[in-house]
Amino acid sequence: MKAISIGLLGLGTVGSGVVKIIENHQDKLMHQIGCPVQVKKVLVQNIHKEREVAVNQSLLTTSAEEIIDDPDIDIIIEVMGGLEGTKELLLKALKQKKHVVTANKDLMAVHGSELLTTASLNSCDLFYEASVAGGIPILRSLVDGLASDRITKMMGIVNGTTNYILTKMSKQGSAYDDVLAEAQRLGYAESDPTADVDGLDAARKMAILSTLGFSMKIDLDDVKVKGIRSVSEDDLQYGKQLGYTMKLIGIAQREGEKVEVSVQPTLLADAHPLAAVNDEYNAVYVYGEAVGETMFYGPGAGSLPTATAIVSDLVGVMKNMRLGVNGKSAISPQYEKKLKQPEEIYSKYFLRIHVKDEVGVFANITSVFAEHGVSFEKILQLPLKEAEEAEIVLVTHRSSLEDFEQILNKLRDLSAINEIKSSYRVEGGGR
Amino acid sequence: MKAISIGLLGLGTVGSGVVKIIENHQDKLMHQIGCPVQVKKVLVQNIHKEREVAVNQSLLTTSAEEIIDDPDIDIIIEVMGGLEGTKELLLKALKQKKHVVTANKDLMAVHGSELLTTASLNSCDLFYEASVAGGIPILRSLVDGLASDRITKMMGIVNGTTNYILTKMSKQGSAYDDVLAEAQRLGYAESDPTADVDGLDAARKMAILSTLGFSMKIDLDDVKVKGIRSVSEDDLQYGKQLGYTMKLIGIAQREGEKVEVSVQPTLLADAHPLAAVNDEYNAVYVYGEAVGETMFYGPGAGSLPTATAIVSDLVGVMKNMRLGVNGKSAISPQYEKKLKQPEEIYSKYFLRIHVKDEVGVFANITSVFAEHGVSFEKILQLPLKEAEEAEIVLVTHRSSLEDFEQILNKLRDLSAINEIKSSYRVEGGGR
């Protein structure tokens, strides 16, 4: 029986994992698909580099064209990263009727719909489970498992680096900079951590998730992003005192026909299932009208989890090939994009301010909130070391983002307020 | 375009949910499948009973044959429960080339392989996602998402009633009987709670899960079962003090070619992701060699979650029908069943005993453990109100089940020991 041939673009840790899994699971794959599968060519930058995984050197090439143009290769697995060049390569592959499996979240967040359309036009599969939360089969669950439900909310801890940092800050009471340095030493954070700590990586994943979950083309630019650089130990400790855990949360929410998608440090009620997701783990919480609350938890990165997701996609492609039904599973967005405006985005907020310790200050503050019809759920007031200053920590009831921003502006103008130290969205724990 | 016709067996809360979802999601279903879908006939016990959901009375019938023999009906959805009679009905349906979707865990745990074989021989789909943890797409994830991994451990909180009871006992410090009565009043427990509290319901689900996850035909009788009736508040409180949460856990574990499957009240280290799964929620924790730790969380029961799982399966069947590929997804068990013997089943154990408060007692106890090479991880000793008695709480390091049972027998014979109050398996938190 003719083997299915794979062209692998990239042989880093993930690519090596893919090679290993395919080799170690030949029997199981054969059992599932009914024919053998082989890696036929591998694109690398340097053929003679020493590698952890033993790959027959005759398979290696430095020419992408040699792989894309090989008529025997049925499926391209892309694990080399990159944006424009990689897009062109994959478009070419799809036009040559090669199926594509990719782990490239940057690419899918930015060019996903163009690639998916091209795949569909060419009756090719384009699968990308590994692009979001490597070890969690979340895309598959959204497409299949919750197919008959209407998803109204997704919340994701979809970046392992920031979750690791926030967990350590919370448990050890350490400062952001110290924990980041430790994370870099241990390999949990890149030497340039920008994409992680500024929330961009999470935003890409939320764009992919919300596009799929809401069947609406959400672009990366539609995702409002705030990172964790300015999160302080004080915020974490006050949060804890009030029953919250700080997480970098991607929120995608739908009400009626309108959606909001954001990534921001968020104080989660301790009882929320996401609040217990610690260290470098990822999780995606999905609320469906019929199913209610569900959550998918697992490793968000790592070469083997990501490689596992890729091979699962690969199995999907190969099953479709054997059945002759490729290119039918991509669902094009069904709804027109309608984004919520700031006056339509509601949530509770945590606010920490330093005020002059004098009579009437609190009345001034509450009257600003009252003007906007926003009341408080929790209040902490504490004297500070500086004799004339006090610290006030508030959690509001639900407010529109517009109201809350106007409140912040008015508070900044109050002479009794020395500084607005921080503010965060609050999720969970009732209205 | 010809509609796909469904015969529904049963119109209780789940059946009504299925009817509702199909009606409310006609557009979405049409978009996914490319043709309309209709419920053509519904089997009920009483045609004239008043019902929550508005179903055209002309669809109702009290004759199962009228549905099974209807050549226009393509798919049977079985939500009426029952064992032998239901099996015969579904076998007949499959032989008449009707696909089957069922939520019947009793049936699948006992007759699953016979039904699946018949389905496969008749090129029919038989899907049963709703039979395990209604709102969690766990079977799909095992089959597809983790297809290329080797699953070595599954741990499930797969019974909502017992999780509700244990959560309340733990949080309120209430007694088992009181919480059970409350759960019955609130509808979280049946008036006859036997199948839930004695672990049988969980055992059925573990038989289904382990058969699929290990690709090995695990029968219900292979699952060792212990329920929660004898769990006391004291056990929960001591557990808490030592850093554990009590859960009714189904464990399916594989080492080499051998497996063990059990359901028992278990003390879980607080840091384990399952320890945070509270109230009536279910979760399945899966450890795969490549992917590492993953967990799927959601409602385990409830009419809408279960109905959602059924409709997802229905979408799967209908997609396969449109593609002409039914009956190919059932994977027959690949490995011969090999069960671990008690000397091969290792875990940590919690033990609570009442002893005479006299010199040398503790030395007697430790020497019994030492004879079997079992040492302690944690020890608590407390005086009791009865002047001459003390309570000892131990957590052992790993021991074989055989050793531990022999130790228990020897302890029972020690004159210094008044009573062995309780013992539990301990999971998580290192070796």
Side-chain angles (χ1 to χ4, degrees):
Chain A
M1 195 179 314
K2 191 175 165 292
I4 291 177
S5 288
I6 291 163
L8 183 62
L9 309 182
L11 191 60
T13 55
V14 174
S16 307
V18 170
V19 171
K20 249 189 255 175
I21 293 179
I22 292 176
E23 276 175 8
N24 295 347
H25 291 268
Q26 274 295 334
D27 283 0
K28 189 165 175 184
L29 291 169
M30 181 86 187
H31 182 81
Q32 289 186 288
I33 310 151
C35 75
V37 48
Q38 62 167 14
V39 176
K40 199 187 167 205
K41 276 179 190 156
V42 183
L43 179 67
V44 294
Q45 287 186 309
N46 175 358
I47 289 182
H48 304 289
K49 187 177 153 189
E50 290 226 6
R51 292 168 200 285
E52 262 181 65
V53 61
V55 178
N56 187 334
Q57 227 178 28
S58 68
L59 305 183
L60 306 184
T61 170
T62 54
S63 153
E65 282 66 32
E66 200 185 310
I67 297 180
I68 303 290
D69 295 335
D70 184 336
D72 284 346
I73 286 180
D74 309 288
I75 304 170
I76 300 290
I77 296 178
E78 185 271 302
V79 287
M80 63 186 196
L83 212 52
E84 299 307 328
T86 309
K87 183 188 90 171
E88 294 309 322
L89 219 50
L90 295 188
L91 284 175
K92 199 171 162 209
L94 290 167
K95 285 173 190 157
Q96 304 209 31
K97 313 287 181 202
K98 295 189 195 313
H99 312 292
V100 171
V101 175
T102 177
N104 192 328
K105 58 185 167 281
D106 309 25
L107 183 68
M108 289 309 295
V110 177
H111 297 300
S113 41
E114 182 180 354
L115 286 161
L116 286 166
T117 306
T118 307
S120 182
L121 288 175
N122 289 281
S123 299
C124 281
D125 285 333
L126 167 57
F127 289 169
Y128 52 101
E129 182 71 72
S131 69
V132 179
I136 309 175
I138 178 66
L139 302 188
R140 203 180 297 272
S141 297
L142 288 180
V143 172
D144 297 334
L146 303 170
S148 63
D149 203 351
R150 186 168 185 277
I151 292 164
T152 54
K153 187 167 190 172
M154 290 180 284
M155 289 170 66
I157 295 176
V158 286
N159 179 272
T161 304
T162 48
N163 203 39
Y164 177 87
I165 292 174
L166 291 174
T167 303
K168 292 292 165 199
M169 284 178 70
S170 170
K171 293 203 170 157
Q172 303 171 353
S174 324
Y176 170 79
D177 288 329
D178 297 340
V179 177
L180 174 60
E182 184 198 339
Q184 285 171 322
R185 210 168 45 242
L186 295 173
Y188 288 124
E190 310 270 343
S191 54
D192 175 5
T194 310
D196 293 320
V197 300
D198 287 345
L200 187 59
D201 174 82
R204 288 178 190 130
K205 293 166 181 168
M206 291 310 296
I208 297 172
L209 274 177
S210 52
T211 294
L212 207 55
F214 297 154
S215 198
M216 192 182 284
K217 189 177 166 311
I218 305 294
D219 296 313
L220 188 52
D221 289 343
D222 300 326
V223 185
K224 291 206 192 83
V225 189
K226 192 181 152 194
I228 66 161
R229 280 185 207 262
S230 63
V231 172
S232 74
E233 306 119 274
D234 286 349
D235 295 326
L236 289 173
Q237 295 311 321
Y238 283 124
K240 223 183 252 184
Q241 221 173 313
L242 294 167
Y244 301 106
T245 303
M246 181 80 76
K247 297 286 178 193
L248 182 69
I249 301 283
I251 297 181
Q253 200 154 218
R254 165 156 72 176
E255 268 170 297
E257 297 183 326
K258 290 193 163 183
V259 305
E260 55 152 315
V261 187
S262 70
V263 169
Q264 57 192 295
T266 301
L267 284 163
L268 266 182
D270 286 338
H272 195 285
L274 284 175
V277 176
N278 287 321
D279 302 319
E280 74 280 17
Y281 279 91
N282 283 19
V284 180
Y285 166 96
V286 179
Y287 190 91
E289 281 179 357
V291 78
E293 299 190 292
T294 60
M295 186 177 83
F296 304 85
Y297 168 100
S303 57
L304 277 180
T306 307
T308 304
I310 288 171
V311 178
S312 296
D313 274 353
L314 182 65
V315 170
V317 174
M318 293 190 292
K319 279 186 181 168
N320 285 350
M321 284 175 67
R322 300 275 303 162
L323 303 170
V325 298
N326 301 93
K328 314 216 174 196
S329 52
I331 303 173
S332 51
Q334 196 178 352
Y335 303 106
E336 195 194 330
K337 176 165 73 187
K338 288 186 187 160
L339 297 175
K340 281 197 204 175
Q341 297 308 307
E343 69 271 20
E344 300 169 301
I345 298 175
Y346 274 80
S347 83
K348 302 196 289 183
Y349 289 95
F350 167 102
L351 178 64
R352 182 160 67 92
I353 43 184
H354 283 188
V355 301
K356 296 202 171 69
D357 198 358
E358 47 185 47
V359 175
V361 170
F362 201 75
N364 282 346
I365 294 171
T366 49
S367 74
V368 171
F369 281 87
E371 279 168 36
H372 290 270
V374 176
S375 56
F376 303 134
E377 183 180 298
K378 290 170 184 167
I379 298 168
L380 275 182
Q381 177 162 355
L382 303 130
L384 286 174
K385 277 176 209 149
E386 292 71 31
E388 283 92 47
E389 211 178 27
E391 184 159 56
I392 295 180
V393 177
L394 300 170
V395 177
T396 69
H397 284 295
R398 276 160 64 86
S399 158
S400 76
L401 178 57
E402 185 184 39
D403 276 317
F404 188 68
E405 282 176 348
Q406 288 177 3
I407 289 170
L408 287 184
N409 284 334
K410 288 183 186 173
L411 291 178
R412 275 189 200 101
D413 289 343
L414 283 187
S415 64
I417 291 192
N418 292 342
E419 194 182 355
I420 294 181
K421 300 295 287 184
S422 59
S423 70
Y424 299 101
R425 186 163 170 156
V426 171
E427 284 285 325
R431 297 183 52 85
Chain B
M1 195 180 315
K2 190 175 168 293
I4 291 178
S5 288
I6 291 164
L8 182 63
L9 309 182
L11 192 59
T13 54
V14 173
S16 307
V18 170
V19 172
K20 249 189 254 176
I21 293 179
I22 292 176
E23 275 175 9
N24 295 347
H25 290 268
Q26 274 294 334
D27 283 0
K28 189 165 176 184
L29 290 170
M30 182 84 188
H31 183 81
Q32 288 186 287
I33 311 152
C35 75
V37 47
Q38 61 168 15
V39 175
K40 199 186 168 206
K41 277 178 190 157
V42 183
L43 178 67
V44 295
Q45 286 185 310
N46 176 356
I47 290 181
H48 303 290
K49 188 177 152 189
E50 290 229 4
R51 291 168 201 286
E52 261 181 67
V53 61
V55 178
N56 186 335
Q57 227 177 27
S58 67
L59 304 184
L60 305 184
T61 172
T62 54
S63 153
E65 283 65 33
E66 200 186 309
I67 297 180
I68 303 289
D69 295 336
D70 183 336
D72 284 347
I73 286 181
D74 308 288
I75 304 170
I76 300 291
I77 296 179
E78 186 270 303
V79 286
M80 62 185 197
L83 211 52
E84 300 307 328
T86 309
K87 183 188 91 172
E88 295 310 322
L89 218 50
L90 296 188
L91 284 175
K92 200 172 161 207
L94 290 168
K95 285 174 190 157
Q96 303 210 31
K97 312 288 180 201
K98 295 189 195 314
H99 312 292
V100 171
V101 175
T102 177
N104 192 328
K105 57 185 166 283
D106 310 25
L107 184 67
M108 289 310 294
V110 177
H111 297 301
S113 40
E114 182 179 355
L115 286 160
L116 286 166
T117 306
T118 308
S120 181
L121 287 175
N122 288 281
S123 298
C124 281
D125 285 333
L126 167 57
F127 289 170
Y128 52 102
E129 182 72 72
S131 69
V132 180
I136 309 176
I138 177 66
L139 302 188
R140 203 180 297 272
S141 296
L142 288 180
V143 172
D144 296 334
L146 302 170
S148 63
D149 203 351
R150 185 167 186 278
I151 292 164
T152 54
K153 188 166 190 172
M154 290 180 282
M155 289 170 66
I157 295 176
V158 287
N159 179 272
T161 304
T162 48
N163 203 39
Y164 177 87
I165 292 174
L166 291 175
T167 303
K168 292 292 166 200
M169 283 178 70
S170 170
K171 293 204 169 156
Q172 302 171 354
S174 323
Y176 169 79
D177 289 330
D178 297 340
V179 177
L180 174 60
E182 184 199 339
Q184 286 171 321
R185 211 168 46 242
L186 295 172
Y188 287 124
E190 309 270 342
S191 54
D192 175 4
T194 310
D196 293 319
V197 301
D198 287 345
L200 187 60
D201 175 81
R204 290 178 190 130
K205 293 166 182 168
M206 291 310 296
I208 297 172
L209 274 178
S210 53
T211 294
L212 207 55
F214 296 155
S215 198
M216 192 182 284
K217 190 179 169 309
I218 305 294
D219 297 313
L220 188 51
D221 289 344
D222 300 326
V223 185
K224 291 207 193 83
V225 189
K226 191 180 151 194
I228 65 162
R229 280 185 207 263
S230 62
V231 173
S232 74
E233 305 119 274
D234 286 349
D235 295 326
L236 289 173
Q237 294 312 320
Y238 283 124
K240 222 183 251 183
Q241 221 172 313
L242 295 167
Y244 300 107
T245 304
M246 182 79 77
K247 298 285 177 193
L248 182 68
I249 301 283
I251 297 181
Q253 198 154 219
R254 164 156 73 178
E255 268 169 294
E257 296 183 327
K258 290 193 162 183
V259 305
E260 54 151 317
V261 188
S262 70
V263 169
Q264 57 192 294
T266 302
L267 285 164
L268 265 182
D270 287 337
H272 195 284
L274 284 175
V277 176
N278 286 323
D279 302 319
E280 75 280 17
Y281 279 91
N282 283 18
V284 180
Y285 166 95
V286 179
Y287 189 91
E289 280 179 358
V291 78
E293 298 189 293
T294 61
M295 186 177 82
F296 304 84
Y297 167 100
S303 58
L304 277 179
T306 307
T308 304
I310 289 171
V311 178
S312 295
D313 274 353
L314 183 65
V315 170
V317 174
M318 294 191 292
K319 279 186 182 169
N320 285 350
M321 284 174 67
R322 300 275 302 162
L323 302 170
V325 297
N326 300 95
K328 315 214 176 195
S329 52
I331 303 172
S332 51
Q334 195 178 352
Y335 303 107
E336 195 194 332
K337 176 166 73 188
K338 288 186 186 160
L339 296 175
K340 281 198 205 174
Q341 298 308 307
E343 70 270 21
E344 300 169 303
I345 298 175
Y346 275 79
S347 82
K348 302 197 288 185
Y349 289 95
F350 168 102
L351 179 64
R352 181 161 68 91
I353 43 185
H354 282 189
V355 301
K356 296 202 170 72
D357 198 359
E358 47 185 47
V359 175
V361 170
F362 200 76
N364 283 347
I365 295 172
T366 49
S367 74
V368 171
F369 280 87
E371 279 167 36
H372 290 270
V374 176
S375 55
F376 303 134
E377 183 180 298
K378 290 171 183 167
I379 299 168
L380 274 184
Q381 178 163 354
L382 303 130
L384 285 174
K385 278 176 206 147
E386 291 73 30
E388 283 90 47
E389 212 178 27
E391 184 159 57
I392 295 180
V393 176
L394 301 169
V395 177
T396 69
H397 283 296
R398 277 159 64 87
S399 158
S400 76
L401 178 57
E402 186 184 40
D403 276 318
F404 188 68
E405 282 176 347
Q406 289 177 2
I407 289 170
L408 287 184
N409 284 334
K410 288 183 187 173
L411 290 179
R412 275 189 201 101
D413 290 343
L414 282 187
S415 65
I417 290 191
N418 292 341
E419 193 183 353
I420 293 182
K421 301 295 286 186
S422 60
S423 70
Y424 299 101
R425 185 162 169 156
V426 170
E427 285 284 325
R431 297 183 52 87

